[in-house]
Amino acid sequence: MIDFSALGASVRRSIFQTIAAFSLVALLFSSSALGVIIYDNGNLAVGANAGDGTAAPAGTQWSEDQHDFGVLNAANTLAGVSCSVTATVFRCADDFNVPVGQTWTINQVIVFAYQTGFAGTTSPITAATLRIWSGRPNDPGSTIIFGDTTTNRLASSTDSLIWRIFSSTVGVGANPPTVPATNRRVWQNNITVSPAAVLTAGNYWIDWNTAIGTAAHFAPTATVVGTRAVPFNNSRQFTGAAWVDVTDAGQAPTGAPVPAILRQDFPFKLEGSVSGAPAVPLSRTLDFDGDNKTDPAVARAATAVGQTTWWILNSNGGTITGASWGLGVGHAAGDRAVPADYDADGKTDVAVWRSGAPLVAAFYVLNSATNIATVIPFGQIGDDPSVVGDYDGDGKADVAVYRAGAAGAQSTFYYRGSLSNPSGNVTFVPWGLGGDKPIPGDFTGDGKYDFQVARDSGGNAIHYRLTNGTGAVTNFSYGLFSDKFIAGDFDADAKDDMAAVRVNGSNYDWYVWMSGNGAVFLEKFGAAPNDYLTPGDYDGDGKWDLSVWRSGAAAADTKFYNKNTFASPQSILWGSSAGAQTPPDYPVANFIVH
């Protein structure tokens, strides 16, 4: 059972293309007063005014079905999903990751529900059951580590001060948009976890239902202003017979294109405590101001030998930083951008690598901690410096290059670790063959970058990984060799995931393989082939976002387009363009794309 608007629609998958320019909106909903919220799975309230301007009653907010920014002919139509005990016993489920190095102690799980037409001011919900799984519910190998389907664990059910409504701006079929109504009051339901669940690193799912006798009621889906769905949604509903994905078919005015069917998530919170080391910092996330968010940045050079100026829009306060550093960044014959945290101060350092003969080729690093320039001779002509990362686990990015062998001959990773090589010695690791693509990353979450290459096998990509520290060797098939590959943490488990980005007509298809739950997600984002891929964590939630920088537009109309994982989509005017993927500007977040 799901709560749709009155008229349904037949649907087919459509292609998400671009997002219009709008500001990021902070979205909050009520939290528990009993303890510390250690995890929040997404927004529910969207503000005190509906899309059509209707004000919510004093002191409350709307949770309104959304349409994508700039798209006024398609909107979500799903208000809620049954997670309730009726003639059929429904259940709902969603997941979270405990990062490597941490232990979470969970005392309460907080979920939300409404009963259509209920007019009382005291919650009608009287019971809730809960299970916590290691792995997705009922999948082979998944196990229940807490709870059951019979024990009433409801601690409290209170008014969240949120009203759930359908879209007030996009109509359903031939009908006009829905007038906001106060007939779906959302209740916050705190479910006790006793004894507390103590969870080490891994992927976990909560699985719950609530009861009002046997009366139908619904759990609202997560709602983010300006998007019908954020990337990597994967919630599930038990229909009484089987677990199915929670999706939204969408609605459109008569004559408009049929909207896409999009997967949804539930807003839920975990209350408890966190112990252990923090998640391993990602030195490849371009955080120049230390606020744990990727900052939009371009490097500008008129010629391959001209002075490069880095223009950085700091997400912490929106200030602009300019730094003259390097020559010809973005030009084929110019310096290579290699920004990373070389001094372990939590801020990305501006850095370039300049090609040349041995002892001439060098990394030029402007350390943010001291504002002192450092020149480190390293590498030689033909090397690939985009493999910089922390190979020795001291929290500092190490200078590194990948040296390709001749066709079919041995290739080698070279790095100089500041911890493992205090005397400045160079470590070399033979790995890969000529023609391979290097794709290093911390795939185990141990704080050390692992050695990985992709090899062409009849058009498919075979990945060969040497785990740093353990020496384990693995290989697997993933993507096409013509894909662009990215290693980054898309699921906030402190392990790098693999993304293969493929040109599909005039669009990019992102295939993201999550280390947390082993799932592969397909997300469509960006205009191929002119957009630069610029992944990073722009909303600061610990998960990498889908991002592109659009070149080839008018010189004063280049933008970063970010499809965030928990926050609203962003369109950020930044940089200048002279043509498709043509200097003077180069978006430096692209340097890790292989």
Side-chain angles (χ1 to χ4, degrees):
M1 180 185 296
I2 53 179
D3 183 18
F4 282 109
S5 56
L7 297 180
S10 61
V11 296
R12 63 175 182 268
R13 183 82 183 179
S14 65
I15 296 174
F16 182 91
Q17 294 183 353
T18 188
I19 299 173
F22 277 77
S23 298
L24 175 65
V25 179
L27 304 174
L28 300 173
F29 54 91
S30 59
S31 61
S32 168
L34 299 178
V36 176
I37 301 300
I38 61 173
Y39 179 78
D40 188 335
N41 198 56
N43 298 303
L44 180 56
V46 300
N49 292 304
D52 68 351
T54 301
T60 67
Q61 298 186 72
W62 301 117
S63 174
E64 179 176 6
D65 274 341
Q66 293 294 300
H67 57 84
D68 291 325
F69 278 147
V71 179
L72 297 178
N73 61 1
N76 280 350
T77 188
L78 178 64
V81 177
S82 181
C83 309
S84 58
V85 177
T86 62
T88 299
V89 177
F90 294 94
R91 301 190 69 82
C92 289
D94 213 330
D95 74 329
F96 63 95
N97 288 321
V98 177
V100 172
Q102 292 188 343
T103 298
W104 291 9
T105 300
I106 299 175
N107 301 314
Q108 282 197 338
V109 173
I110 301 169
V111 297
F112 299 84
Y114 67 86
Q115 183 180 29
T116 304
F118 179 75
T121 56
T122 300
S123 174
I125 296 171
T126 58
T129 67
L130 173 72
R131 295 185 293 186
I132 301 177
W133 295 71
S134 176
R136 196 170 74 163
N138 278 20
D139 278 4
S142 295
T143 57
I144 299 170
I145 59 177
F146 174 84
D148 54 55
T149 60
T150 57
T151 303
N152 182 6
R153 303 180 188 276
L154 184 67
S156 63
S157 182
T158 56
D159 189 353
S160 71
L161 304 178
I162 298 170
W163 306 94
R164 185 68 169 170
I165 59 175
F166 295 113
S167 173
S168 64
T169 55
V170 177
V172 185
N175 293 340
T178 303
V179 177
T182 55
N183 63 343
R184 293 181 178 86
R185 187 191 299 269
V186 178
W187 305 100
Q188 175 179 303
N189 305 300
N190 290 35
I191 305 174
T192 298
V193 180
S194 180
V198 180
L199 308 179
T200 56
N203 176 246
Y204 299 93
W205 287 70
I206 60 168
D207 149 26
W208 77 94
N209 67 8
T210 51
I212 308 174
T214 57
H217 55 289
F218 305 91
T221 49
T223 307
V224 177
V225 169
T227 182
R228 291 186 53 215
V230 299
F232 317 129
N233 282 344
N234 64 346
S235 64
R236 308 271 281 174
Q237 180 197 36
F238 183 68
T239 62
W243 286 97
V244 298
D245 294 336
V246 175
T247 60
D248 194 318
Q251 61 190 25
T254 300
V258 177
I261 300 174
L262 299 179
R263 298 180 69 171
Q264 302 296 307
D265 250 18
F266 291 110
F268 70 87
K269 300 181 182 185
L270 304 178
E271 178 192 284
S273 60
V274 176
S275 63
V280 176
L282 297 172
S283 62
R284 292 185 166 207
T285 299
L286 300 188
D287 178 13
F288 294 93
D289 54 11
D291 66 347
N292 298 316
K293 295 181 181 179
T294 298
D295 303 310
V298 296
R300 180 172 301 164
T303 68
V305 295
Q307 178 68 61
T308 298
T309 302
W310 295 56
W311 293 107
I312 301 165
L313 180 60
N314 296 297
S315 53
N316 182 10
T319 58
I320 298 172
T321 300
S324 296
W325 201 254
L327 302 175
V329 173
H331 296 261
D335 292 348
R336 297 280 297 275
V338 287
D341 185 5
Y342 294 92
D343 53 15
D345 67 344
K347 298 180 181 180
T348 300
D349 304 311
V350 173
V352 300
W353 180 77
R354 185 166 301 161
S355 182
L359 302 180
V360 174
F363 285 80
Y364 294 79
V365 180
L366 181 60
N367 295 104
S368 56
T370 61
N371 205 33
I372 294 175
T374 304
V375 180
I376 307 169
F378 200 85
Q380 65 185 38
I381 294 172
D383 288 350
D384 182 352
S386 66
V387 298
V388 296
D390 185 4
Y391 289 89
D392 60 7
D394 66 347
K396 297 180 180 180
D398 305 311
V399 295
V401 295
Y402 175 78
R403 188 166 299 161
Q410 182 68 64
S411 298
T412 305
F413 284 84
Y414 295 87
Y415 71 90
R416 178 178 290 151
S418 51
L419 177 65
S420 59
N421 295 314
S423 61
N425 295 329
V426 175
T427 299
F428 66 95
V429 178
W431 196 249
L433 302 175
D436 292 349
K437 295 179 180 179
I439 317 168
D442 181 9
F443 300 105
T444 64
D446 65 353
K448 298 179 181 180
Y449 270 57
D450 306 305
F451 309 97
Q452 181 171 302
V453 297
R455 185 168 301 160
D456 190 359
S457 177
N460 294 315
I462 307 296
H463 299 258
Y464 294 86
R465 180 180 298 169
L466 173 62
T467 301
N468 190 1
T470 67
V473 174
T474 54
N475 67 82
F476 54 92
S477 178
Y478 189 66
L480 304 177
F481 192 72
S482 57
D483 293 342
K484 298 291 188 181
F485 293 102
I486 300 165
D489 188 1
F490 290 89
D491 59 5
D493 67 347
K495 298 179 183 179
D496 278 338
D497 311 301
M498 284 298 303
V501 186
R502 186 172 305 164
V503 174
N504 182 2
S506 60
N507 301 276
Y508 282 122
D509 287 348
W510 298 62
Y511 295 87
V512 183
W513 183 6
M514 300 296 197
S515 57
N517 57 22
V520 176
F521 292 85
L522 168 60
E523 300 285 345
K524 296 178 177 291
F525 190 72
N530 294 340
D531 285 358
Y532 283 92
L533 306 177
T534 53
D537 183 11
Y538 291 86
D539 59 3
D541 64 355
K543 300 181 179 181
W544 281 34
D545 308 309
L546 310 185
S547 176
V548 297
W549 185 74
R550 183 141 306 155
S551 65
D557 193 34
T558 53
K559 298 183 178 74
F560 283 87
Y561 292 91
N562 303 329
K563 192 164 179 63
N564 297 314
T565 46
F566 277 169
S568 296
Q570 294 173 293
S571 174
I572 303 171
L573 183 66
W574 198 247
S576 182
S577 176
Q581 296 201 355
T582 302
D585 284 5
Y586 171 72
V588 293
N590 179 256
F591 90 102
I592 65 166
V593 178
H594 300 277

